[in-house]
Amino acid sequence: MKFDLSFAGFVLSLVLGLSGWFFRWSDKQKFERQQSTQKAVAAAEKALNEERDFNHLRNNQIQISQGIATGFDELERRLDHLRELLIEIKSYLIRNQHGTSED
């Protein structure tokens, strides 16, 4: 059996070409997996950031509402106090008016 160099060269180039194609395809698959993983991580981070921002806004709204309620409670307390003072002034004026008309 005679060794044919052209056939050996063809087989060698075929093997090297297929192995090169396989490694290139393998690297491409790995690169695409890395990209999809990075996109998934970025989407998850974005979702977490959006949720955190929403929670901050919601908590701020709750605090603002509580502050307004506290302010209205204080205002109502002061108005009640003013109402009591006005009643006292009115009763004082009524007493003095009746007292001066009798003289």
Side-chain angles (χ1 to χ4, degrees):
M1 185 163 163
K2 197 173 180 187
F3 185 72
D4 188 12
L5 283 178
S6 63
F7 181 72
F10 173 74
V11 170
L12 183 62
S13 64
L14 181 66
V15 168
L16 290 176
L18 287 175
S19 64
W21 175 84
F22 174 76
F23 285 117
R24 186 169 184 209
W25 176 79
S26 165
D27 286 343
K28 182 180 177 189
Q29 293 298 318
K30 182 195 271 185
F31 178 73
E32 288 175 355
R33 278 193 304 269
Q34 286 175 346
Q35 276 189 328
S36 65
T37 302
Q38 289 173 351
K39 286 179 183 178
V41 167
E45 286 177 350
K46 183 180 178 187
L48 287 174
N49 289 338
E50 289 173 352
E51 183 179 354
R52 185 192 70 225
D53 291 345
F54 176 77
N55 287 334
H56 281 304
L57 291 173
R58 187 186 63 199
N59 290 337
N60 287 346
Q61 184 66 34
I62 290 170
Q63 289 175 350
I64 289 170
S65 297
Q66 290 171 345
I68 289 171
T70 303
F72 277 123
D73 290 343
E74 178 65 21
L75 183 62
E76 189 174 338
R77 187 188 67 75
R78 288 181 183 195
L79 288 175
D80 287 341
H81 182 69
L82 286 174
R83 187 177 301 118
E84 291 172 5
L85 288 176
L86 286 174
I87 290 171
E88 286 180 26
I89 291 171
K90 186 176 179 182
S91 65
Y92 175 77
L93 289 175
I94 291 172
R95 263 186 288 147
N96 283 343
Q97 186 180 18
H98 289 303
T100 55
S101 64
E102 294 177 5
D103 289 335

